[in-house]
Structure formats: C-alpha cells, structure tokens
Amino acid sequence: MAKGKVGQSPEKITLRAGIQKQLALGFRPSHGHLKEYAQTTGVTPRTIQNWISDMVAGREPQKRGRKGPTDEKVRLAREHIESVLKINGWDSGEETVMNALKANGTPTSMRLIRRVLKDLKAERRAHVERERAARRITIVFNATDVCWAQDATELERDDQGKITAELVRDTATRDTGEIVARRGDSDSQDAIAALNSMAEVRGALPLMVGTDNGSPYTSAAFEGRLEEERIVHFKNLPRTPRHNPIAERAVREIKSEADWALVPDHIYFQGPVAVWTYKLAEARRCVRNRIRQSPLGRGTVQELDKRLPKAYDLVDRNTFYAAAQEAMAAARQAHAGKRKQRLAERHAVLKLLWKYGLIDVYRGGARLVYGESEINS
C-alpha cells in the first residue's frame, strides 16, 4: 500500500505502511489528538489527514506534494555535480556547486543539488574510510604491563592559572592509574609520581613507557627513574600524537566522563583542584568498570587482567631492557637525522616486542609478520 519516495529508508517505508494499515482497518486518532499521534509516528498531521480522506473515499493513499526528479535527471545531476567537486574540491558547499553549474550552463534546482551532494559526499566518505581501514596498522599487546602510555592534560584555566593532571594507562587492559589534579604545568616529579601510583595499582612496573617529548618526560629525573627500574622509554616522533594513541584516548575518555560527575557541595567549597580530583576519581571508577570490546576479547579491566598473561612471566626485564637498548643504539647508528633515528628506534623496539610474542601487528585486519617495511610511520 505504501509507496516510498526515492531515498526513503526501508524502516520509514515499513512505518508508513503500518500506519496506513491501521487506518484501513478503521483506526482513527481521537478528536483533538491528531497532532500528538502524528508526533509519535513521525508522520505529519496533514499526511495522516490525507490518508484518512483517501480511505474514506475508497481509494489507495495518493502521493501528494512536489513531484520528484526522474532517474535520468538525477543521473545527469550526479555527473555534473561530481565534475564540479573534482575541480573545486570535495568540501564545496551547495552555493559553490550551484554557481559552478550556472556558469557551465547546466542550472539545477537547489533541492536536487542538496540531495545529490549529500549522497555523493556520503559515498566519498565511505570510500575514503574503506581505504584508510585497509591501510590502517593496528598493534595488539598480548600481555599486561608490557607498555604504559603516559600523558599530561590541562583540565581548566582560571584566574589563578592552569589545573593539570597526569594520566597513565596500560595498553593491554586499558587500566588507568590514580589521577590527581594540581595547579600549574606538570613537571618531572609529577610524571614520576604518576608512574609510581600506577605501579601501586598494578603491583608491577612495565617493560616500557610510551610518552611524547614534553619536558617532564625528557628531563634527567624522569629518564633516570626509568633507567633505574630498567624500563625502556618509547618516545613519539615530535608533534606526532598518533604514536601514543592509548594516552590520547585515555585523556579524552576520562575528561568526557568527568563532565558527568556529580560533585557534593562540601567538595565544591574546597576549591577547583579538589573538585577536579573528585571528578577524575569518579571518571576513573566508571572507566575501569566499563566493558570493552577489543581484539583481546570483551570484558572489564579486571576481567582482562585475569585472562591475559603478565609481561614479566613471558620475558625477563633485564634481558628485554638490554636487548632494547642494543637494538635502539644500532638503529640510531644506521640512520642520519633525528627524526629518522627516532622512527628507527621505534621500529627496533616494536620488532623486539613481536619477537618475544608480546605484540601482534595487523594491517586492515590481516595479521602481519613484523618487519620494518610493514610500518613506515
């Protein structure tokens, strides 16, 4: 009975058919409640009134309104609009496309431009995403406490200055350490304190720590602490946050969850630092209890901890540290320029992790045999 317009979803067509069936069986919205009924069904009151009139007259519901374009007209519009987008760029808007079509002598209605432009851009985005997914490199850590990702974030800025916090997260389980808000920028002692706090939570230290190139992490105190504990420092390339995605996502996730925290009045009276510390603790509690879907399976932090092996059960810390330092030194000697040397160091450490069975590497969902040719950024 229901004949959907071009572009209507199957769900909408099914909904309209169901409403028409109800009306055909004699259902009528009660007097004065047509608008409320229309709102619950997602169909306009005028459309329902027209359907009722058609059924009272004993005919099929008639299609009303503006007649849609023919398939041939849509096809030609797609060709013209796609050619405009290829020349002017895929971020071109409706006005740009319309002006270009007028200049080319192929004027088209704004209604059709809007419709075709939306479809073309959606198809383009889907195509680009498929290509990215096919090239995307994914590193899966097969044991807990192989690598911790660490980063600092600014929470708020008021007339007294910044409020910041340090976050540390295990890359395998996504467990996050205690988070404490503080005044001012993070320094090396804050970074070390966050690392020590995470060690208390996890009951162990990692084989390596991934950070960016901020001053707290390149300081002699932080580097000395890692060397003392035989922890490999896995640094990003400068200005390349995608090299530490676990930390970036941890910051985004914790801050987003903190926005939903309800803070008691007595905490508010203690000032913004106390408020943020409370909100971060609530956010951490929620995040740690969250069920996650990952390549390692589905579960909370605690469930993944029980399921996965521990890094220190698979490889000796001193053995791994010595092998990593040797591999990074060889990588630096083989390349000129700091950026190439840093990238070579990262490859060397990742290859060592793969050799010990601590990680698996995938491209587009396909498992790879790790080598320097597989990951080039």
Side-chain angles (χ1 to χ4, degrees):
M1 183 176 290
K3 297 181 180 179
K5 297 179 183 178
V6 176
Q8 282 186 355
S9 66
E11 294 81 6
K12 187 171 183 179
I13 294 173
T14 302
L15 174 63
R16 293 167 73 92
I19 298 170
Q20 291 177 9
K21 185 176 180 180
Q22 286 181 339
L23 297 175
L25 293 174
F27 170 77
R28 299 290 184 270
S30 59
H31 181 71
H33 291 81
L34 176 60
K35 186 175 181 180
E36 289 79 357
Y37 175 73
Q39 288 176 343
T40 61
T41 59
V43 179
T44 64
R46 173 182 286 184
T47 299
I48 293 177
Q49 284 178 331
N50 290 335
W51 287 349
I52 293 173
S53 299
D54 290 335
M55 290 175 183
V56 170
R59 59 176 179 262
E60 290 286 320
Q62 302 297 306
K63 184 177 180 181
R64 293 173 171 82
R66 187 179 304 174
K67 188 176 181 180
T70 63
D71 292 343
E72 179 65 15
K73 193 170 184 178
V74 173
R75 185 187 66 79
L76 290 173
R78 282 179 63 93
E79 290 180 0
H80 295 317
I81 294 173
E82 190 169 10
S83 66
V84 170
L85 292 175
K86 287 179 180 178
I87 296 172
N88 293 1
W90 283 86
D91 60 345
S92 301
E94 298 166 0
E95 293 291 341
T96 302
V97 172
M98 172 167 272
N99 293 334
L101 292 176
K102 286 181 179 179
N104 294 337
T106 54
T108 306
S109 70
M110 181 59 81
R111 183 185 181 90
L112 183 55
I113 289 174
R114 188 175 292 116
R115 169 184 161 182
V116 172
L117 194 59
K118 179 181 178 181
D119 291 343
L120 284 173
K121 288 190 175 183
E123 293 168 10
R124 180 77 171 189
R125 281 192 293 268
H127 181 72
V128 170
E129 181 54 36
R130 284 194 299 271
E131 286 191 345
R132 287 176 178 171
R135 296 193 301 266
R136 186 174 295 135
I137 295 293
T138 304
I139 298 174
V140 177
F141 287 82
N142 298 324
T144 67
D145 303 313
V146 174
C147 179
W148 292 352
Q150 184 166 354
D151 198 8
T153 183
E154 180 178 325
L155 302 170
E156 182 183 327
R157 188 187 293 254
D158 57 18
D159 55 357
Q160 298 181 42
K162 295 180 181 178
I163 299 177
T164 60
E166 284 276 342
L167 281 81
V168 184
R169 173 169 282 189
D170 177 46
T171 52
T173 63
R174 304 297 195 267
D175 193 10
T176 307
E178 299 283 350
I179 312 168
V180 179
R182 62 183 61 81
R183 281 284 180 189
D185 291 316
S186 294
D187 57 22
S188 59
Q189 295 306 312
D190 296 326
I192 293 171
L195 198 67
N196 294 339
S197 175
M198 183 65 167
E200 292 180 8
V201 171
R202 301 291 303 161
L205 287 167
L207 295 178
M208 47 193 271
V209 170
T211 72
D212 59 22
N213 297 278
S215 56
Y217 312 122
T218 56
S219 64
F222 189 78
E223 295 279 12
R225 172 64 172 160
L226 296 185
E227 183 178 0
E228 177 186 345
E229 298 292 348
R230 313 295 281 177
I231 300 172
V232 176
H233 196 179
F234 194 58
K235 298 178 187 176
N236 295 4
L237 263 69
R239 297 174 296 279
T240 313
R242 71 174 184 274
H243 280 173
N244 201 6
I246 301 298
E248 298 292 332
R249 290 172 194 153
V251 168
R252 187 165 60 247
E253 187 178 31
I254 290 291
K255 290 172 76 171
S256 176
E257 193 64 44
D259 287 340
W260 292 90
L262 299 176
V263 182
D265 290 341
H266 72 277
I267 299 291
Y268 267 110
F269 292 134
Q270 298 175 28
V273 173
V275 169
W276 269 110
T277 298
Y278 181 88
K279 291 168 70 173
L280 293 172
E282 285 295 294
R284 175 179 177 268
R285 179 185 59 79
C286 294
V287 167
R288 294 186 82 225
N289 292 328
R290 185 169 293 167
I291 296 176
R292 300 177 183 276
Q293 183 65 46
S294 73
L296 300 172
R298 188 170 182 270
T300 63
V301 166
Q302 294 79 7
E303 290 169 342
L304 290 174
D305 252 330
K306 293 178 181 178
R307 190 183 309 156
L308 297 175
K310 312 297 181 187
Y312 44 79
D313 290 336
L314 300 179
V315 61
D316 177 71
R317 176 181 300 280
N318 291 326
T319 301
F320 179 82
Y321 184 82
Q325 295 299 323
E326 182 181 351
M328 289 192 293
R332 287 192 296 270
Q333 291 179 355
H335 294 82
K338 291 184 178 180
R339 186 175 181 85
K340 289 184 177 179
Q341 287 178 343
R342 177 66 59 80
L343 187 58
E345 285 180 351
R346 291 176 60 84
H347 284 314
V349 173
L350 290 173
K351 193 169 185 178
L352 189 64
L353 291 171
W354 177 81
K355 176 183 175 182
Y356 282 110
L358 297 172
I359 63 169
D360 283 320
V361 183
Y362 298 84
R363 173 186 283 144
R367 189 174 178 182
L368 299 177
V369 175
Y370 192 87
E372 289 193 6
S373 60
E374 269 78 24
I375 299 181
N376 54 21
S377 62

